[in-house]
């Protein structure tokens, strides 16, 4: 999975939203070679900050997609597939499908290659042009903006086909994220931090009807090199983008990021984040990550509701303004993405909002463009 490099002044993102793979454990029976089932298991990649190296894949967990589509080729034959978009479903601690396939029926085969994606869709296709294979499937998101709570609806596609030269092994897919992710972070400018605190109470992502992307077709090509027996993968691409007919109104849920983020900035009781002279040098994230289809049409409005407080000579907080809402329009021109104007596939990009006198700067990418929103 590709990563991006942190810049000094990022409005950056690091998706990493979440990748999937298969690993270990899920034999349906191990009584004998004759009854050993062709079986699967799933892991998911840990979302990672863009500047860090990939951590690899984690075990499948509750909340992840519960279905995937499997393609299996023996001897790389497209006309007689071992699996042809087979739906595989999580049941208890195992992945199951019907009718079952048994390794004993394929001992005559020389090679096996398995493709996969999540969640299952009956419109998926696997095509071939000599030694290049293309896996594609349609996607319709439940909303144009998905949060961590919507992981079961977040699509993924295999990193590489799983190649086997013998029968009997569990098929271990590694699935890559196909969306782009964002996180919202807030920091006080030096001058503003000398004057007051901002207590952030709510953050929303909104967008007009027929504007925000919520569907399309995901594709990836895989090339096989016969001389080495090695697969390579192309980039994840999107095509035939559709727009959500209804307006988008997504509230980014509060998350207590705990000590060191910074300590005491988060009030779990009141679901608020405090930024200001109490934490002059801190950059603090509001909520969890959210995910979208990478597109230059992703231009929502970010709305922030907050209170303004000052400290008296005794150190007590005095609220001077309450429930103020300021907005800023998101623009892909603030960023220098290598893959898409609307974000890079497979990365979570942190948006750093710096609060300064009279307006809020959104820290830009390499060119350091800035936008702002007026504070009442």
């Amino acid at each position: 999975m590709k990563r991006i490099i942190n810049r000094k002044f990022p409005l950056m993102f690091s998706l990493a939203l979440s990748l999937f793979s298969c690993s270990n454990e899920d034999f349906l029976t191990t009584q004998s070679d004759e009854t050993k089932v062709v079986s699967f298991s799933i892991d998911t990649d840990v979302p990672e900050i863009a500047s860090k190296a990939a951590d690899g894949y984690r075990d499948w967990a509750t909340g992840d997609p519960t279905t995937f589509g499997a393609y299996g080729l023996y001897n790389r034959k497209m006309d007689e597939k071992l699996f042809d978009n087979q739906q595989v479903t999580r049941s208890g601690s195992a992945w199951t499908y019907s009718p079952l396939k048994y390794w004993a029926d394929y001992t005559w085969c020389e090679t096996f290659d398995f493709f996969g994606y999540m969640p299952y869709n009956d419109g998926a296709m696997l095509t071939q042009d000599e030694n290049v294979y293309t896996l594609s499937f349609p996607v319709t998101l439940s909303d144009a903006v998905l949060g961590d709570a919507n992981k079961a609806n977040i699509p993924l596609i295999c990193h590489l086909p799983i190649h086997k030269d013998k029968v009997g092994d569990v098929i271990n897919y590694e699935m890559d994220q196909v969306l782009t992710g964002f996180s919202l972070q807030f920091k006080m400018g030096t001058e503003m931090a000398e004057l007051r605190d901002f207590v952030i109470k709510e953050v929303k992502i909104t967008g007009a009807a027929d504007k925000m992307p919520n569907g399309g077709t995901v594709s990836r090509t895989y090339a096989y090199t016969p001389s080495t027996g090695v697969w390579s993968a192309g980039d994840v691409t999107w095509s035939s983008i559709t727009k959500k007919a209804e307006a988008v109104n997504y509230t980014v849920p509060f998350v207590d990021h705990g000590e060191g983020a910074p300590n005491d900035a988060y009030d779990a009781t009141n679901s608020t984040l405090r930024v200001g002279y109490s934490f002059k040098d801190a950059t603090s994230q509001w909520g969890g990550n959210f995910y979208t289809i990478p597109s230059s049409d992703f231009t929502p409005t970010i709305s922030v509701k907050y209170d303004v407080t000052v400290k008296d000579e005794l150190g007590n907080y005095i609220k001077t303004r309450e429930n103020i809402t300021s907005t800023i329009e998101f623009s892909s021109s603030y960023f220098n993405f290598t893959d898409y104007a609307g974000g890079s596939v497979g990365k979570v990009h942190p948006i750093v909002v710096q609060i300064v006198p009279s307006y809020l700067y959104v820290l830009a990418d390499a060119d350091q463009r800035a936008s702002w929103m007026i504070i009442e």
Side-chain angles (χ1 to χ4, degrees), residues 1 3-4 6 12-18 47-51 177 179-184 285 288-291 344-351:
M1 158 180 170
R3 302 286 169 179
I4 60 174
N6 267 342
M12 27 163 239
F13 305 127
S14 137
L15 183 97
L17 227 128
S18 274
E48 190 60 71
I49 295 174
S51 61
Q177 181 63 247
L179 301 180
T180 188
F182 302 93
S183 67
L184 287 172
Q285 180 173 341
N289 301 330
F290 59 94
Y291 307 96
S344 300
V345 171
K347 300 171 179 64
V348 178
H349 308 282
I351 306 175

Side-chain angles (χ1 to χ4, degrees), residues 3 20 36 45 56 69 137 183 243 250 287 321 349 355 368:
R3 302 286 169 179
F20 278 75
K36 187 174 287 187
D45 185 48
F137 60 99
S183 67
K243 308 292 180 61
Y250 174 72
R321 277 168 288 179
H349 308 282
I355 304 171
Q368 298 184 40

Side-chain angles (χ1 to χ4, degrees), residues 206-284:
T206 61
D210 296 315
K211 178 64 176 176
M212 307 278 274
N214 74 329
T217 299
V218 174
S219 299
R220 191 175 214 173
T221 59
Y222 305 92
Y224 180 76
T225 304
S227 61
T228 61
V230 173
W231 285 97
S232 60
D235 294 334
V236 174
T237 62
W238 283 84
S239 61
S240 304
I241 300 295
T242 60
K243 308 292 180 61
K244 182 175 174 61
E246 300 80 20
V248 174
N249 187 12
Y250 174 72
T251 299
V252 183
F254 170 83
V255 173
D256 184 355
H257 289 278
E259 296 183 4
N263 188 23
D264 298 331
Y266 298 93
D267 181 348
T269 300
N270 296 302
S271 299
T272 60
L273 166 64
R274 181 180 294 273
V275 293
Y277 49 66
S278 303
F279 314 99
K280 292 180 182 179
D281 299 322
T283 300
S284 303

Side-chain angles (χ1 to χ4, degrees), residues 290-357:
F290 59 94
Y291 307 96
T292 70
I293 293 173
S295 169
S296 58
D297 289 327
F298 181 67
T299 55
T301 296
I302 301 173
S303 301
V304 183
K305 181 188 287 188
Y306 57 91
D307 297 339
V308 181
T309 65
V310 297
K311 270 187 180 180
D312 63 19
E313 61 277 7
L314 299 177
N316 299 314
Y317 286 109
I318 300 174
K319 187 182 299 183
T320 61
R321 277 168 288 179
E322 186 175 25
N323 293 331
I324 304 300
T325 298
S326 292
T327 62
I328 183 171
E329 185 176 349
F330 181 100
S331 172
S332 61
S333 64
Y334 302 149
F335 308 93
N336 182 24
F337 297 124
T338 57
D339 297 335
Y340 288 90
S344 300
V345 171
K347 300 171 179 64
V348 178
H349 308 282
I351 306 175
V352 181
V353 179
Q354 183 168 332
I355 304 171
V356 298

